[in-house]
Amino acid sequence: MKILQAQAQVIDNFYIAPNYYLIKILSEPMIYKILPGQFINLKVTNTLDPLFSRPFSPYLLHKKDGIIEILYKVVGKGTSLMKNLTENDMIRVVGPLGNAFTIPEGARRIAIVGRGVGIAPLVFLAQYALSLEIEVYAFLSSGDPDFVVGKETLEDLGVEVYYTTDNRKLVTDYLWEFLKEDIHIDAIYTCGSRRLRKEVALMSKRYNIPSEVSLETVMACGVGVCLGCTVKIGTSSNWKYKRVCVEGPVFSTLEVVD
Ligand SMILES: Cc1cc2nc3c(=O)[nH]c(=O)nc-3n(C[C@H](O)[C@H](O)[C@H](O)COP(=O)(O)OP(=O)(O)OC[C@H]3O[C@@H](n4cnc5c(N)ncnc54)[C@H](O)[C@@H]3O)c2cc1C
């Protein structure tokens, strides 16, 4: 697929919870090409520092208005500068990058499992799946009892949400209950948390349900040149390094080697 490079206008950029912000950018024609799981690189300043663009997943798409929402967590230099962007600022956007989540043909019901900012790409996946009339169940966890990333947005979309804010409890316990009760799930998707990915991989094996993870590694070039984002993919005895930015970020949970 052709990679687009363009200037995008900031429509809004605001605080939503401690360390979490939401930016809206006007980004046609990117919005018509990008699929859930793929990401875009944002150059968050017009200066050479930071030098590299930063990868972000679309959170929600408003195709009618050409607006992409990105939910982001402030963790370092780039994201600290990003939160200072204001309406009408222009930023460079490159994408769509990477591969997309795959939805099995004929799927009727999927589950998304995430924690913290890892939930971001799963919200876009939910929005996309619902547009195909696929039912979505969300299993979310958060360390902050006052803020569960994506909960309200997903509920507004019509997704049934289960969540926990108790770090001692795994939100996947709810999904195990579903599976034990024979509630049919066609595929499971996760992102971010290694602990949740491992749990989803166990479910995949036990119930023979395909599952995918979007890996959020630190990236530099974002287009496969620098090899800075490689991960081991395969089995523990037979693996290869793959680039998260090109061969990923989406992989089967069963093929990620720790
Ligand atoms: C495919 C993909 C999609 C992503 N989507 C989103 C998203 O939708 N919303 C969002 O908030 N973030 C997302 N990220 C993570 C985001 O790209 C990083 O948080 C961002 O690049 C950090 O930039 P910075 O300059 O603020 O931090 P830096 O100054 O570069 O780093 C600050 C600290 O954060 C660590 N760090 C940087 N990047 C990552 C990372 N990816 N994972 C773990 N630790 C990291 C560094 O090691 C360092 O300790 C995504 C990453 C990938 C690869």
Side-chain angles (χ1 to χ4, degrees):
M1 182 188 284
K2 194 170 170 235
I3 296 174
L4 307 169
Q5 193 175 152
Q7 291 291 318
Q9 184 188 347
V10 175
I11 301 296
D12 209 347
N13 186 25
F14 53 90
Y15 168 95
I16 50 171
N19 295 325
Y20 282 92
Y21 289 77
L22 191 118
I23 189 167
K24 296 184 182 186
I25 56 170
L26 189 59
S27 193
E28 288 177 301
M30 185 85 67
I31 197 164
Y32 305 114
K33 302 224 178 267
I34 196 155
L35 291 167
Q38 291 187 299
F39 65 96
I40 52 181
N41 262 349
L42 297 187
K43 182 83 176 76
V44 294
T45 62
N46 290 323
T47 64
L48 289 178
D49 186 23
L51 182 60
F52 291 111
S53 297
R54 299 293 193 249
F56 293 95
S57 315
Y59 177 65
L60 266 189
L61 261 51
H62 302 276
K63 285 202 173 157
K64 202 161 49 72
D65 309 314
I67 292 173
I68 300 180
E69 287 186 21
I70 294 161
L71 181 113
Y72 63 100
K73 184 174 180 185
V74 173
V75 295
K77 196 167 198 172
T79 43
S80 297
L81 292 166
M82 192 166 158
K83 72 179 193 313
N84 300 330
L85 290 167
T86 55
E87 193 183 344
N88 294 330
D89 281 346
M90 299 299 288
I91 53 173
R92 195 178 60 129
V93 182
V94 177
L97 298 170
N99 63 353
F101 288 115
T102 49
I103 300 181
E105 220 178 300
R108 287 177 293 110
R109 189 183 293 139
I110 62 167
I112 57 174
V113 179
R115 179 180 170 82
V117 79
I119 293 162
L122 304 175
V123 173
F124 175 29
L125 173 65
Q127 183 188 33
Y128 181 82
L130 290 166
S131 75
L132 303 176
E133 296 186 357
I134 296 169
E135 228 178 299
V136 183
Y137 288 103
F139 300 86
L140 313 179
S141 89
S142 166
D144 179 353
D146 298 321
F147 179 60
V148 181
V149 178
K151 178 176 170 290
E152 278 163 31
T153 312
L154 286 164
E155 284 171 346
D156 288 347
L157 287 172
V159 172
E160 201 166 312
V161 177
Y162 298 81
Y163 70 98
T164 178
T165 57
D166 180 348
N167 276 333
R168 291 161 304 176
K169 192 169 162 49
L170 268 184
V171 71
T172 36
D173 291 349
Y174 294 115
L175 184 50
W176 279 116
E177 287 304 315
F178 266 56
L179 298 171
K180 277 180 202 148
E181 284 170 25
D182 257 355
I183 296 175
H184 183 80
I185 302 280
D186 291 295
I188 312 175
Y189 304 88
T190 186
C191 175
S193 156
R194 178 171 178 268
R195 190 172 168 214
L196 292 179
R197 172 186 31 98
K198 288 191 149 297
E199 200 68 17
V200 168
L202 279 179
M203 292 172 179
S204 240
K205 267 195 208 143
R206 177 91 48 91
Y207 290 96
N208 197 22
I209 300 172
S211 67
E212 292 182 333
V213 58
S214 174
L215 296 178
E216 289 200 344
T217 49
V218 178
M219 264 180 204
C221 78
V223 289
V225 178
C226 75
L227 308 182
C229 62
T230 52
V231 288
K232 291 177 182 174
I233 297 294
T235 63
S236 52
S237 58
N238 183 18
W239 52 264
K240 282 190 174 141
Y241 280 118
K242 298 243 170 139
R243 296 162 297 177
V244 170
C245 65
V246 176
E247 282 98 21
V250 177
F251 297 95
S252 160
T253 62
L254 299 177
E255 59 177 5
V256 179
V257 180
D258 287 304

